[in-house]
Amino acid sequence: MVKTTVQVEGMMCGMCEAHVNDAVRKAFQVKKVNSSRSKGTTEILSEAELDTEALAKAITDTGYKVNGITSEPYEKKGIFG
């Protein structure tokens, strides 16, 4: 699994978060996507690394600005460690 974090500028409300989440889901098959207007981030969990150019385009096409994208391996931690 890969965790991708996108710095998104311009989200002002819950509907903004939903617009970004929907744009990501339409462009990619992802396990989970969660946007936070207060943090200015969108976090995405996927099986494989995402095309960052296509990801940035999907978000900017909805009217928001992408200020950066980072990816890192992700392992879900179990109850015992």
Side-chain angles (χ1 to χ4, degrees):
M1 294 278 281
V2 178
K3 177 182 173 183
T4 304
T5 304
V6 185
Q7 300 298 319
V8 181
E9 186 178 317
M11 293 187 292
M12 305 302 255
C13 64
M15 286 304 295
C16 295
E17 295 168 343
H19 287 147
V20 173
N21 292 347
D22 289 345
V24 171
R25 285 188 193 104
K26 285 179 186 174
F28 299 97
Q29 281 196 322
V30 298
K31 294 288 184 184
K32 186 176 180 180
V33 58
N34 183 46
S35 294
S36 170
R37 65 185 177 269
S38 61
K39 294 179 185 175
T41 60
T42 297
E43 293 184 344
I44 305 158
L45 294 181
S46 57
E47 289 291 337
E49 209 163 314
L50 303 177
D51 178 338
T52 56
E53 285 185 27
L55 178 57
K57 182 174 178 357
I59 293 172
T60 57
D61 283 354
T62 62
Y64 303 95
K65 182 177 178 184
V66 173
N67 291 327
I69 299 174
T70 58
S71 295
E72 61 187 348
Y74 175 83
E75 281 189 38
K76 185 174 181 179
K77 301 274 192 250
I79 295 173
F80 300 108

